Amino acid sequence: MTAQDGLRIVHAHGDRITITEPTTSVELFSYVYGPEAAWEAPKPYVHPLRTLAGNVVTDYRPNDHRWHKGLQMTASHLSGANLWGGNSYVHGQGYLELPERVGSMAHVKFDEVGSDSGRFVIAERLTWHPYDGTLWADEERRIEVHDVDPSSGSWALTWTTAVTNRRDEPLRFGSPTTAGREMAGYTGLFWRGPRAFRDGRIVGPDSEGPELMGQQALWLAYSGEHDVTDGHATLVFAHAPENDHTGEGGAHPAHWFVRNEPFAAVAPSFAFFDELELAPGDTLTRRYRVVVADGAWEREEIAKYLEEHPW
């Protein structure tokens, strides 16, 4: 299948959707939605994610965290459940193997797989479940590929999620930090970089380095150097301005979870320091952009790109 903008689409039904850029013949990414190991909190994910030069910029099931899979929507602490995967953090006891806490995000159906106004679109419906399989939430997810530009060696992915609480009580989104662990506020959209990106460069609008952990900014970039092939890649993560607001609860600012040691990871966390409570029947909507670029982009180059590609 070929979309109107020329991107080639291969859908292995029940397993994954793969998108290829025709001028470079590079598979930009695979969106994998088939079920996987329960202990890893099965959920759809993007891997491998590639630059236009063909270099992979995600990791999959690394030996330190088997549940880290490319780029994925997660929920590390959700009303006592773990939709992140692996061991669960318990304050005063550390990380414990508690399989009864591990839940899942399950694919239901695709509303659209194709081209829309010059963008390639995956529109999907999912359900969120605790360990016992009861329905806690419905999600409408939209992943768009756009601004594919071989001349600049960059392309962009926009990920929108709308999660509706189907319980009779509030859903509480949290993180290890809201549970008592300092500066470990990971939850929400999460990227795990390849092993070669360890000790990579972290850049924000006004500063750089690992001290951006827990800070607020409209965007954050991570540059790393490839193994095997020469050169670097830069991923720019940005969250839409409306993400800082949610329903009647008013402002709930996003904070960045970011590490370059002992591995590369970025998450625009929506519950870093404080729990986010979603009332029964209410919907939490978040929109993010990930720019995948060849080369080590500087701050000015990133700012110019984002200015020229507004939300």
Side-chain angles (χ1 to χ4, degrees):
M1 176 180 179
T2 301
Q4 293 176 1
D5 56 7
L7 295 173
R8 292 200 298 267
I9 308 159
V10 175
H11 188 176
H13 290 271
D15 182 28
R16 68 189 63 207
I17 296 170
T18 301
I19 310 303
T20 299
E21 201 286 312
T23 63
T24 60
S25 297
V26 168
E27 292 183 357
L28 297 181
F29 70 85
S30 286
Y31 182 72
V32 183
Y33 62 94
E36 293 195 339
W39 181 72
E40 297 172 7
K43 65 184 78 65
Y45 59 89
V46 169
H47 177 79
L49 182 70
R50 291 187 175 91
T51 70
L52 286 174
N55 293 303
V56 176
V57 291
T58 48
D59 205 352
Y60 173 75
R61 297 191 76 244
N63 58 22
D64 49 67
H65 295 80
R66 294 298 188 197
W67 49 96
H68 287 185
K69 297 174 181 177
L71 178 71
Q72 58 181 341
M73 180 57 62
T74 69
S76 59
H77 289 240
L78 183 69
S79 294
N82 169 4
L83 274 66
W84 172 270
N87 294 341
S88 300
Y89 178 76
V90 178
H91 187 53
Q93 301 180 64
Y95 286 89
L96 304 178
E97 186 175 342
L98 300 171
E100 68 276 10
R101 289 195 180 189
V102 180
S104 62
M105 299 178 188
H107 167 79
V108 176
K109 69 173 185 176
F110 291 111
D111 289 330
E112 181 180 0
V113 176
S115 185
D116 180 19
S117 302
R119 296 186 170 206
F120 172 76
V121 175
I122 298 173
E124 182 185 23
R125 294 179 185 265
L126 306 97
T127 51
W128 292 25
H129 308 272
Y131 180 77
D132 65 7
T134 57
L135 177 64
W136 273 17
D138 292 322
E139 181 191 355
E140 294 187 15
R141 179 176 298 180
R142 185 178 178 90
I143 297 174
E144 303 169 74
V145 178
H146 53 96
D147 295 311
V148 179
D149 184 3
S151 64
S152 68
S154 66
W155 65 280
L157 178 153
T158 294
W159 186 307
T160 305
T161 180
V163 181
T164 301
N165 181 6
R166 295 306 184 194
R167 302 181 77 194
D168 294 329
E169 57 186 280
L171 272 177
R172 301 187 311 279
F173 292 81
S175 66
T177 294
T178 67
R181 184 187 174 197
E182 292 187 2
M183 302 305 286
Y186 54 82
T187 197
L189 188 67
F190 178 77
W191 167 76
R192 171 67 189 255
R195 195 170 298 276
F197 278 26
R198 180 176 175 175
D199 298 323
R201 184 184 179 195
I202 302 166
V203 179
D206 303 307
S207 60
E208 64 178 83
E211 63 270 19
L212 285 167
M213 172 75 86
Q215 300 298 309
Q216 293 176 265
L218 287 178
W219 61 265
L220 183 147
Y222 194 108
S223 294
E225 185 174 7
H226 303 298
D227 279 339
V228 184
T229 59
D230 293 331
H232 295 72
T234 300
L235 286 89
V236 182
F237 302 87
H239 65 91
E242 71 268 17
N243 287 0
D244 282 349
H245 304 275
T246 175
E248 297 179 358
H252 198 284
H255 295 79
W256 290 100
F257 174 87
V258 58
R259 284 180 176 161
N260 64 356
E261 171 67 33
F263 52 77
V266 175
S269 174
F270 46 60
F272 196 111
F273 294 108
D274 302 294
E275 284 193 341
L276 189 159
E277 187 173 288
L278 187 65
D282 280 4
T283 300
L284 173 69
T285 302
R286 290 290 185 268
R287 186 161 57 117
Y288 305 98
R289 182 167 298 166
V290 182
V291 182
V292 182
D294 287 299
W297 283 16
E298 296 294 332
R299 178 178 293 111
E300 296 75 15
E301 191 173 2
I302 296 166
K304 181 181 179 182
Y305 178 96
L306 294 175
E307 182 180 355
E308 293 176 349
H309 300 80
W311 288 95

